[in-house]
Amino acid sequence: PILRSGLGMVGSMLDVIPHAAVHHIGMYRNKEALLPIMYFNKLPKVCTVDVAMVLEPLIATSGTLSAVIDILKEWGVKEIKVISIVASKPGLKKLLTTHPDLSITVAAIDDSLTEDGVVIPGLGDTGDRQYEHCLQDHDAEGLENGQRKKARQA
C-alpha cells in the first residue's frame, strides 16, 4: 500500500490473496507544490515479485501514485496493477499517459479537481478519514454533532 491511506485496503486484499507479500512505501503530496515526497520505503533490496498491486484509495492528480510506480519499475517489477476506490478523470488521464502499461481498477470516477488538486466531490483526505483526523478539523470549524455523526458514517 501507499502509506498511510492504502493501509485501509490491505486487510481486504489479504482476504482475497492471503499469501501475498506486503511492502510499504510512504508518500505524501506537498500541498503547495502538489509534488510527491517519499518518507518511507521498505522494499527489499532485490525485487522478488513479477506483479505488484498498488493500493491507493484516491487518485487525484496522480503525482504520488506515479512516483510510486516509478519506484516499483526501477526496483524491477514487470507488471503493476493499481486498485483504487475513487479517481479523478484528469488524474487517470495523466497516469495512463505517463504509464500506459498499467492495469487500473477503480470503483468510481469523478469529473474534476480543484486548483489545489482535490477531487470533486471526492472523499476528502482518505488517510485522515481512516484515522478520524478529519473529525478534529471539522470540530475546529464548529460542525454540529449531527454533522460529525454523518462524517463518521461516511
Side-chain angles (χ1 to χ4, degrees):
I2 299 177
L3 298 179
R4 87 191 151 164
S5 61
L7 284 174
M9 299 172 71
V10 172
S12 296
M13 184 53 67
L14 287 173
D15 287 344
V16 176
I17 308 172
H19 299 293
V22 178
H23 302 295
H24 300 86
I25 296 176
M27 295 280 253
Y28 69 91
R29 180 175 65 174
N30 175 294
K31 294 191 189 277
E32 289 81 39
L34 301 181
L35 296 173
I37 298 171
M38 183 175 61
Y39 65 90
F40 188 79
N41 182 340
K42 279 304 215 179
L43 293 174
K45 295 266 187 221
V46 177
C47 179
T48 58
V49 300
D50 296 320
V51 179
M53 300 180 93
V54 180
L55 307 179
E56 174 66 297
L58 184 67
I59 302 170
T61 65
S62 77
T64 301
L65 179 55
S66 187
V68 167
I69 292 164
D70 287 340
I71 291 167
L72 291 173
K73 286 180 175 180
E74 185 177 314
W75 185 48
V77 176
K78 301 297 182 217
E79 183 179 355
I80 299 172
K81 299 175 185 252
V82 174
I83 300 174
S84 185
I85 299 167
V86 176
S88 73
K89 280 185 182 177
L92 283 176
K93 183 178 179 180
K94 182 178 175 186
L95 184 63
L96 288 170
T97 299
T98 307
H99 299 285
D101 54 335
L102 287 181
S103 169
I104 302 173
T105 302
V106 62
I109 300 172
D110 287 342
D111 287 329
S112 58
L113 295 167
T114 66
E115 288 180 11
D116 297 332
V118 176
V119 179
I120 301 172
L123 298 170
D125 186 307
T126 53
D128 283 352
R129 281 193 172 278
Q130 288 178 66
Y131 300 103
E132 295 193 17
H133 290 134
C134 66
L135 299 178
Q136 294 168 3
D137 293 341
H138 288 283
D139 287 343
E141 295 170 10
L143 291 180
E144 300 293 326
N145 284 336
Q147 289 173 308
R148 272 192 234 105
K149 187 175 182 180
K150 282 183 187 176
R152 269 194 201 99
Q153 293 171 349

